[in-house]
Amino acid sequence: MQQKPYKGLFITLEGCDGCGKTSLSFKLGKELEKRGYAVVRTREPGGTPLSEHLREILLQPDTFSISGRAEMMLFLTARVQHLDELILPALHAGKIVICERFNDSTIAYQACARHLGTQQVEKLCELACDGVSPDVTLLLDMPAHLSVSRVKDNKDRLEQEKLHFHEEVRQGYLRLADHYPQRIKLVDAQGSEQQVFEQACSILQPYLPSVMPHVC
């Protein structure tokens, strides 16, 4: 494992809408806290007042028109604030950060499904995050038609996109997993919450010795 510039552990959860990221984040957070680790659970866009405000603009279904490039830049702006205000201070304090979505979402949604170009978007993500990357990413994978079927009520602007859009998102994620196998670990999200949780715990176990539990 590469030497990290901080004492904590940065875990991201990725996947199409409806794949179970929030449920897994909650279960992992509870489990790690039970083991004595200090845990920060957060999401993107969000996590700070500015980022949450941008989330409302980006995801509310009745919002005004947003071009693909403007959408990407707003996501990155929210990420910069999130990283500077919440994620990096927590990591420097030796905490485990579990974040729903990060740069991989921008590449899958905006570069792939919005067709903005993977190479260009990856460069912008790296610039926005000053090179900070998750230590490990759990990619919750399932066919797009299944993940979409799980989102029934109060769909946000992106969740309302057509199935083809979500299929392109999934393919973007799978290409990322092929390209970054050391960081991105596939989790079969079609099973029960408990089965998904057990897969995730097994994947994360080798990373935990690098982080000291916060003993009360």
Side-chain angles (χ1 to χ4, degrees):
M1 244 173 272
Q2 285 185 314
Q3 187 65 33
K4 300 181 294 186
Y6 46 76
K7 298 183 292 182
L9 180 67
F10 188 16
I11 301 166
T12 54
L13 308 181
E14 294 283 0
C16 295
D17 296 294
C19 68
K21 293 180 298 297
T22 299
S23 297
L24 180 58
S25 175
F26 179 79
K27 289 177 75 73
L28 285 175
K30 289 294 183 184
E31 175 65 21
L32 292 169
E33 287 172 348
K34 190 168 68 176
R35 298 188 193 186
Y37 295 98
V39 179
V40 173
R41 291 178 54 243
T42 188
R43 66 179 184 176
E44 291 223 336
T48 71
L50 173 61
S51 302
E52 289 288 345
H53 182 61
L54 290 173
R55 180 186 183 90
E56 291 180 15
I57 294 172
L58 281 161
L59 297 184
Q60 61 182 350
D62 56 348
T63 191
F64 36 78
S65 175
I66 303 176
S67 73
R69 286 191 303 139
E71 178 184 83
M72 175 188 64
M73 291 299 184
L74 287 170
F75 275 115
L76 291 179
T77 298
R79 185 163 304 136
V80 170
Q81 188 67 27
H82 191 200
L83 195 64
D84 289 349
E85 187 176 340
L86 179 65
I87 294 174
L88 278 176
L91 291 173
H92 285 303
K95 298 178 181 180
I96 295 178
V97 175
I98 303 173
C99 184
E100 299 173 47
R101 301 198 181 282
F102 200 65
N103 285 337
D104 296 316
S105 280
T106 304
I107 296 164
Y109 280 79
Q110 280 73 51
C112 297
R114 295 282 192 229
H115 307 139
L116 296 182
T118 301
Q119 190 173 22
Q120 177 180 336
V121 174
E122 281 190 332
K123 287 180 179 178
L124 289 170
C125 287
E126 186 173 355
L127 177 65
C129 297
D130 198 21
V132 174
S133 179
D135 297 302
V136 59
T137 297
L138 304 179
L139 173 54
L140 278 64
D141 180 56
M142 65 169 56
H145 71 276
L146 291 180
S147 62
V148 167
S149 70
R150 289 184 172 190
V151 184
K152 293 182 170 58
D153 301 317
N154 302 316
K155 292 185 178 183
D156 66 35
R157 191 173 62 87
L158 292 178
E159 290 168 348
Q160 290 180 351
E161 290 284 354
K162 296 188 183 301
L163 178 59
H164 179 68
F165 176 87
H166 295 283
E167 288 172 339
E168 289 197 282
V169 170
R170 186 196 182 204
Q171 291 307 312
Y173 273 130
L174 292 176
R175 286 195 291 272
L176 282 168
D178 285 341
H179 196 65
Y180 299 105
Q182 292 298 316
R183 173 176 65 82
I184 301 177
K185 309 299 181 182
L186 276 176
V187 175
D188 182 358
Q190 296 184 72
S192 66
E193 281 190 17
Q194 184 61 27
Q195 289 171 326
V196 171
F197 172 66
E198 288 172 1
Q199 288 180 71
C201 287
S202 178
I203 292 168
L204 293 177
Q205 188 57 45
Y207 295 86
L208 297 178
S210 68
V211 190
M212 292 295 292
H214 285 55
V215 180
C216 298

